[in-house]
Every structure is written in structure tokens, then in C-alpha cells.
Amino acid sequence: MWIVPEAAIADLITPEASFEAVEAVFAAMSRGDAYNFPVIREAIGHADALYGFKSGFDRAGLNLGLKSGGYWPGNEARGLTNHQSSVFLFDADTGKCSAVVGGNLLTALRTAAASSVSIRHLARQDAKVLGMIGAGHQSAFQMRAAAQQRDFDKVIGWNFHPEMLSRLEETAAGLGLPFEAVDLDRLGQEADVIISITSSFSPILMASQVSPGTHIACMGTDTKGKQEVGADLVARASVFTDEVSQSISIGECQHAIAQGLIKEDMISELGAVINGTHPGRSSDTEVTLFDGTGVGLQDLAVAAKVVDLAIARGIAIEVDF
Ligand code: NAD
């Protein structure tokens, strides 16, 4: 069995490699070659923690396993990251545990890769302005991955806590892009691509604020009750997701479904667009929305890549298990 510690991962996997892994597994899911098992997420009644599992099997890549982890709000006071996760991989032929991989950085990379895949396949080619809603830990990864996909000349941003906007400004500067803090009306009017990555439980951006032709990647809603955009915006858009069952239960679509504004069969898999079985964007005025709920197979795909790289570079720790 191989162990790849959290501290080794930053030097092993690039955003580009994460993109390839996530794009490939979305395609495999849509072909029926890979599937996720139901998500478990529990408030454990200790340390105010939320803990759970995301798991699945990719028959094409032979990745079997799970990501275990959650959110410990008291960690920061102890000098630890609040989000904690580890990925366990198993040999698909024998069931033996084949690897344990630190999952914290991988979570940010695979989440950023997912919205980046959606931008590659759904945003207008001439998109110039990137709009960011959210300025927390994930937002910097999201912005950097998005910038790989289109020739943006500006980033604009809004955050519920304005004092955090400096993270967006610094990240944009690192990409050589100007940044401007704006209100939500301007953000919706001017942005060609919008990424929302917040822990909001009420809608931030509404349909009336968004210009025709925009692509929106809603990445923060991964739990029942969370919501980043109005259900009216989901109803106005052509909606794509990583996995439909998660989209309607824990993703952004849960609200539009509950209000009867959309039906499940109106939500398409992003993998179908990657595979060419769905045409994707149909016009320059269509609003497209990607509901990125975060699936276990994304974690397995990037973790498996990390294990291969770590073995090849002699960094993986081998344990008789
Ligand atoms: P973080 O704690 O670092 O940042 C939280 C962000 O949400 C900040 O921008 C904050 O200002 C904003 N926020 C907090 N309360 C808000 C409110 N009431 N209304 C509007 N905005 C509010 O978190 P993070 O690590 O950046 O993660 C952001 C979100 O992304 C979380 O909800 C997390 O669960 C989710 N996430 C999703 C995936 C996925 O695969 N879809 C993966 C990782 C994280």
C-alpha cells in the first residue's frame, strides 16, 4: 500500500493534470463507465463537526475508493485547516487498500478543475470578463483554473464579507489581470463567466441581474439547504451538472426542483457535452449554468494521478498493510 502525505501533493500535481483527470471522469460517468455511491454526511455531535464519505467506482480508470472527511470549525484556532479530508483507494481486482492520499489540496484542485471544465465546454469563446462571487479559500483556485480557459482581460468580484476581497485582488494580480470590486448588479451585467463559491444559504444572484450569453458555474452549494443563485436563474438557464442525482438533492438545483420551476430531465450532464452526445451551448445569448456539486469520482481521479506521480518520483511511502 502507498501513502502520499498532504505535504507532498503541492509539488506533484498541477492544475492542468487535475483538469485532465476531472474531464476524463465526467466523460466516463456520462458513458456509464463510472458511478458514484450515495453520499453520507452527518453532524457527528462532537466538536461541532460535519463528517462524511464520497465514494464511487470508475470502471474505465479502475479507480475504486472513497474520500472521507468534513468540516471542523474549531480547527483554525488549533492551527489546522477547518476542512479535513483523506482519500482511500482500493485495488479493483482484489479489494485491498492500495493507497491513502492527503485530500485537502486535492479537494480545492478537483473543485476548481470542475468549473474550469464547464467553462471550457460551455462558456462563449469570446468571454472577456470573469465575475467572482465568494472570496474564501476555494476562490483563488477557482480563479486560477478559470483563467486557463478563456482570454479574460478583467476580473470583477463581490463577497458577502467585503474585507475578504483582497484575496481576489491578489489572485488576479498574480494572473496579470486587473481586479475591481463591484455590486451584484454590475457583476451580473458585465461578467461573461461567473463563478460562485460561497457557503451561502440564501440566493445571492438573481435571474434579472444576469446578461444574456453568460456562463455561471455554481460551485458552493454541496449540501441540502445551501443556495447561491435564485431558483429563477436556474429556471432561466440551460442547466448542466456533474451528477443529476446530487444536483437535485444537495446541489443548486434542489431549490428550483422543490419549487417546481424545473424538472429533473431538464438537467444535463457536463460529461455528455464532453462526449459530444449533447451539443452544449446553442447560441451566444443562451445562459448556461453548471451546478458543480462535487462527486467522489473527482477525488478518486486526482488521487490516483497523484499516486502514480508519487511512485514515479520515489516520493510515495510504501507500507506492508
Ligand atoms: P471559506 O470558508 O474559505 O469561504 C466561505 C465563503 O462564503 C466566503 O467568500 C464567505 O464570505 C462566503 N460566505 C459566508 N457566509 C455567507 C453568507 N451568509 N452569504 C454569502 N456568502 C457567505 O470556504 P471555501 O473553502 O472557500 O468553500 C466555499 C464553499 O464551497 C463552501 O460552501 C464549501 O462547502 C463549498 N465547496 C464545494 C465543493 C464542490 O465540489 N462543489 C468543494 C469544496 C468546497
Side-chain angles (χ1 to χ4, degrees):
M1 186 187 93
W2 299 99
I3 296 176
V4 186
E6 182 70 42
I9 290 175
D11 292 333
L12 281 171
I13 188 161
T14 59
E16 292 77 17
S18 306
F19 181 100
E20 281 168 24
V22 169
E23 187 182 51
V25 83
F26 283 170
M29 282 163 57
S30 194
R31 288 194 310 268
D33 285 339
Y35 65 107
N36 294 287
F37 308 153
V39 175
I40 307 278
R41 200 163 163 87
E42 297 284 330
I44 59 172
H46 178 77
D48 211 10
L50 278 177
Y51 174 71
F53 307 98
K54 283 188 169 179
S55 54
F57 179 43
D58 176 359
R59 262 190 299 264
L62 284 189
N63 294 326
L64 173 68
L66 60 92
K67 178 170 84 169
S68 158
Y71 188 76
W72 274 258
N75 274 6
E76 213 164 304
R78 300 174 172 198
L80 297 169
T81 311
N82 287 357
H83 286 277
Q84 287 293 332
S85 58
S86 310
V87 182
F88 293 79
L89 298 174
F90 298 87
D91 185 315
D93 295 317
T94 64
K96 279 195 69 163
C97 187
S98 57
V100 179
V101 184
N104 293 350
L105 177 60
L106 284 184
T107 298
L109 289 172
R110 66 77 145 145
T111 306
S115 63
S116 186
V117 170
S118 85
I119 293 166
R120 174 174 293 182
H121 292 279
L122 294 170
R124 291 194 335 267
Q125 290 299 331
D126 64 351
K128 289 288 173 208
V129 179
L130 173 63
M132 297 291 307
I133 297 177
H137 178 70
Q138 307 291 332
S139 63
F141 294 89
Q142 292 284 326
M143 193 198 297
R144 286 194 288 261
Q148 301 295 314
Q149 298 309 324
R150 291 294 183 271
D151 191 16
F152 293 114
D153 57 24
K154 184 178 181 182
V155 181
I156 56 179
W158 179 92
N159 194 47
F160 186 72
H161 302 101
E163 67 277 11
M164 293 169 76
L165 284 166
S166 56
R167 176 181 265 129
L168 298 182
E169 187 162 12
E170 283 159 23
T171 309
L175 293 163
L177 293 171
F179 173 78
E180 191 181 353
V182 295
D183 63 25
L184 286 165
D185 283 338
R186 265 195 67 195
L187 189 133
Q189 266 163 31
E190 293 179 24
D192 303 307
V193 172
I194 298 172
I195 297 174
S196 61
I197 182 77
T198 73
S199 46
S200 178
F201 278 81
S202 52
I204 298 169
L205 190 70
M206 309 304 286
S208 60
Q209 293 172 301
V210 171
S211 294
T214 306
H215 173 64
I216 308 157
C218 296
M219 304 306 297
T221 298
D222 55 0
T223 305
K224 198 167 171 48
K226 280 188 184 172
Q227 186 173 14
E228 297 193 290
V229 301
D232 62 341
L233 177 50
V234 174
R236 176 183 166 195
S238 299
V239 182
F240 300 83
T241 188
D242 40 25
E243 190 182 89
V244 174
S245 63
Q246 285 198 185
S247 171
I248 62 172
S249 54
I250 59 171
E252 199 60 45
C253 287
Q254 61 182 291
H255 307 286
I257 289 275
Q259 291 171 35
L261 295 178
I262 62 166
K263 293 206 158 57
E264 185 176 336
D265 63 9
M266 295 161 73
I267 306 168
S268 307
E269 288 176 330
L270 180 56
V273 184
I274 298 167
N275 290 333
T277 54
H278 186 296
R281 168 176 290 280
S282 62
S283 78
D284 279 353
T285 54
E286 185 179 20
V287 173
T288 53
L289 184 147
F290 173 62
D291 184 5
T293 66
V295 294
L297 283 167
Q298 279 170 264
D299 298 298
L300 305 188
V302 289
K305 195 155 256 192
V306 155
V307 173
D308 289 345
L309 290 165
I311 293 171
R313 293 201 205 154
I315 293 167
I317 302 162
E318 191 166 16
V319 176
D320 200 8
F321 181 70

